[in-house]
């Protein structure tokens, strides 16, 4: 075995340097003594509330179902829905289909957003009814 050609050695050294720089730059510096906790940092977004998660998730899947996309036929577990979220999904799809007959597709998508947001808010995110769901610890 001989040594690597010069271009291969250069490429290998460049790759190692890039990996080293990437590894160093991806970690956050430690907080300064006496500074606020990282969660109080205004640049760090707050995690979404259960209501926001419910609204985004159910609204997305209801629209996919109404549009008849490739993935719309997944079951509630594959979509990541709780039992209560799936019930909201089914009600939203039924309301959307009824609205589509009279108002058209654009109005249906707006209806879905409002309908799902109201139901998710009323049920506090609708996360507790799934036997598979566990609260964060």
């Amino acid at each position: 075995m001989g040594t690597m050609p010069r271009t291969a050695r250069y490429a290998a050294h460049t790759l190692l340097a890039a990996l080293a720089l990437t590894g160093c730059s991806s970690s956050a510096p430690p907080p300064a003594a006496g500074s606020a906790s990282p969660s109080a940092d205004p640049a760090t977004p707050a995690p979404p509330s259960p209501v926001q998660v419910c609204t985004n998730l159910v609204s997305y899947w209801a629209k996919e179902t109404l549009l008849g996309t490739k993935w719309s036929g997944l079951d509630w577990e594959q979509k990541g829905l709780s039992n209560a979220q799936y019930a909201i999904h089914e009600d939203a799809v039924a309301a959307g289909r009824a609205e589509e007959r009279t108002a058209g597709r654009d109005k249906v998508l707006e209806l879905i957003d409002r309908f799902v947001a109201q139901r998710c808010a009323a049920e506090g995110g609708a996360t507790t009814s799934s036997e598979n769901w566990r609260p964060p610890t």
Side-chain angles (χ1 to χ4, degrees):
M1 304 262 171
T3 61
M4 285 195 282
R6 192 166 112 177
T7 55
R9 280 194 314 260
Y10 177 75
H13 289 204
T14 303
L15 177 62
L16 287 173
L19 290 173
L21 289 174
T22 302
C24 293
S25 66
S26 65
S27 61
S35 68
S37 68
S39 62
D41 182 11
T44 304
S49 71
V51 172
Q52 291 170 318
V53 171
C54 175
T55 301
N56 293 340
L57 189 62
V58 175
S59 181
Y60 172 81
W61 284 115
K63 289 175 184 177
E64 291 292 299
T65 299
L66 289 168
L67 295 172
T69 64
K70 176 181 177 181
W71 301 107
S72 64
L74 298 175
D75 70 21
W76 65 274
E77 285 182 307
Q78 292 168 319
K79 292 176 180 178
L81 302 173
S82 70
N83 295 334
Q85 289 168 345
Y86 184 67
I88 295 169
H89 171 273
E90 290 298 291
D91 292 345
V93 169
R97 287 193 174 127
E99 182 75 9
E100 189 171 27
R101 290 185 206 110
T102 59
R105 172 107 1 129
D106 292 338
K107 293 294 180 187
V108 169
L109 300 179
E110 292 173 19
L111 168 78
I112 293 298
D113 288 334
R114 285 191 316 273
F115 182 93
V116 170
Q118 290 170 351
R119 288 280 303 273
C120 285
E123 296 186 34
T127 57
T128 58
S129 64
S130 179
E131 58 195 46
N132 298 329
W133 184 85
R134 300 290 180 263
T137 56

